[in-house]
Amino acid sequence: QVQLVESGGGLVQAGGSLRLSCVASGRTFSNANMGWFRQAPGKEREFVAAITGGGNIYYRDSVKGRFTISRDNAKNTVYLQMNSLNLEDTAVYYCAAVYLGVSPPRPMGQWGQGTQVTVSS
């Protein structure tokens, strides 16, 4: 059974940075396409970023140039470095395996519990 555990969220002022982590267990991680999604209050969950097993990277337009997704296969971990945060980035962030055959990419399988990111003015 796959388990995903996100961490690293918190309260940050606009313009600040956070680094999210997602540790995966119970699956073959190194070949998996992994992604980050987020859900703001009153909104649907949306795609943020993805990284393939081969290292190809995809972002939603609103985070390009500000967010960086990366992975460490030895640690079964995917990261999301978030810089220049703004109020619209406030959401619960989740990681998941991701299917890249559609646009936007969609999540597959189980979610973790998520990690709250709150950006204040």
Side-chain angles (χ1 to χ4, degrees):
Q1 184 175 357
V2 176
Q3 288 189 326
L4 300 168
V5 179
E6 301 96 336
S7 62
L11 174 63
V12 63
Q13 286 191 324
S17 298
L18 285 172
R19 188 194 195 203
L20 308 184
S21 299
C22 171
V23 180
S25 61
R27 70 171 297 153
T28 302
F29 179 81
S30 61
N31 294 327
N33 299 331
M34 298 296 296
W36 287 94
F37 298 79
R38 67 186 181 188
Q39 187 166 20
K43 295 186 177 181
E44 294 188 353
R45 201 168 299 190
E46 63 184 17
F47 167 76
V48 176
I51 184 167
T52 69
N56 293 323
I57 289 174
Y58 306 85
Y59 297 104
R60 71 178 298 108
D61 286 345
S62 63
V63 308
K64 287 179 181 177
R66 299 189 299 121
F67 290 11
T68 302
I69 189 171
S70 62
R71 65 193 297 159
D72 184 339
N73 290 335
K75 297 181 178 179
N76 275 17
T77 301
V78 60
Y79 303 99
L80 187 67
Q81 177 68 44
M82 306 186 296
N83 299 329
S84 302
L85 286 161
N86 57 53
L87 299 180
E88 290 70 36
D89 296 318
T90 294
V92 179
Y93 284 70
Y94 302 86
C95 71
V98 62
Y99 175 62
L100 294 169
V102 294
S103 182
R106 65 173 175 83
M108 300 191 307
Q110 293 181 291
W111 297 100
Q113 83 289 350
T115 186
Q116 176 71 49
V117 172
T118 304
V119 183
S120 64
S121 59

